[in-house]
Amino acid sequence: MADEIEVDTDDLERRMKGAMESLRHEFGSLRTGRASATMVEPIMVDAYGSPTPINQIGTVNVPEPRMVTINIWDKGLVGKAEKAIRESGLGINPQLNGTIIMLPIPELNEERRRELTKVAAQYAEHARVAIRNVRRDGMDQVKKAKSAGMAEDDQKFWESAVQDLTDKMIAEVDKALEAKQAEIMQV
């Protein structure tokens, strides 16, 4: 019986990778001076009486490195989409061309770049905390297994496995943060 006790490291790894995926998504929404379709994903437009993501009322394209275009399908929503972009806090001034909203991405100044690196660091810290919470859950599983009769050697093995997984994922977060900060500071 005691030999069959195992800790579900696959579940822990899946949850840690979920935190990494969330971090990548948050990094994608950070404006780096380069156009990206993900930067407009959080924008909600009041369409047909309910808040709707902008990418569900039009086609988002990146035709050139410093331009995002949104081709709104319903002419009646163009004004609402433009207003939502202005109020989103992206710091981009939309230009209308019929049903197409063009978003020229301006150069970032040094101060704004530093602010964005701090925001990226906050996102990374949230991911680290999420990964550590998963680690704590894994260690709790090991403790429960120990009280259920797990041998001390097995306990040490599983604790080590959980810690190694945690260290690997934290290193991935640090690497992703370093790359994002370098991308933001690139002129």
Side-chain angles (χ1 to χ4, degrees):
M1 166 77 187
D3 294 337
E4 296 172 14
I5 299 172
E6 284 191 16
V7 177
D8 190 359
T9 54
D10 289 342
D11 178 57
L12 296 176
E13 185 173 11
R14 181 188 55 75
R15 290 170 53 201
M16 287 182 185
K17 284 187 177 181
M20 268 306 295
E21 204 50 48
S22 175
L23 176 67
R24 285 191 188 99
H25 184 74
E26 287 175 326
F27 277 175
S29 69
L30 276 181
R31 191 160 71 87
T32 60
R34 207 179 298 147
S36 165
T38 57
M39 63 192 288
V40 296
E41 278 182 9
I43 298 174
M44 301 298 264
V45 178
D46 184 28
Y48 312 115
S50 66
T52 308
I54 200 161
N55 61 0
Q56 291 183 14
I57 63 163
T59 308
V60 179
N61 290 314
V62 183
E64 52 189 81
R66 303 190 69 62
M67 176 75 70
V68 174
T69 61
I70 306 164
N71 188 357
I72 306 295
W73 299 317
D74 182 351
K75 280 185 178 181
L77 295 176
V78 174
K80 290 181 178 182
E82 180 189 17
K83 182 180 178 199
I85 292 166
R86 287 188 196 280
E87 294 174 352
S88 70
L90 272 179
I92 298 175
N93 196 12
Q95 300 169 355
L96 291 179
N97 183 2
T99 59
I100 297 174
I101 300 174
M102 297 181 294
L103 305 173
I105 312 299
E107 282 286 336
L108 294 174
N109 61 19
E110 186 71 18
E111 181 183 338
R112 183 69 178 136
R113 288 178 190 277
R114 292 197 190 288
E115 287 175 24
L116 287 174
T117 59
K118 289 178 185 171
V119 171
Q122 288 174 341
Y123 288 163
E125 186 55 34
H126 292 303
R128 285 188 204 101
V129 168
I131 289 169
R132 288 186 198 116
N133 287 339
V134 174
R135 175 193 175 274
R136 187 191 62 231
D137 292 348
M139 291 301 188
D140 288 347
Q141 286 180 22
V142 172
K143 285 179 187 159
K144 285 179 186 168
K146 181 186 180 200
S147 64
M150 178 185 274
E152 197 168 318
D153 287 348
D154 290 343
Q155 177 194 356
K156 297 276 188 228
F157 169 80
W158 287 112
E159 284 177 351
S160 170
V162 170
Q163 187 59 49
D164 289 347
L165 182 60
T166 303
D167 293 344
K168 183 180 109 184
M169 296 307 285
I170 294 283
E172 265 187 57
V173 168
D174 293 341
K175 191 170 130 187
L177 173 63
E178 219 173 272
K180 187 63 177 182
Q181 286 180 330
E183 181 184 335
I184 291 170
M185 294 308 287
Q186 183 181 17
V187 177

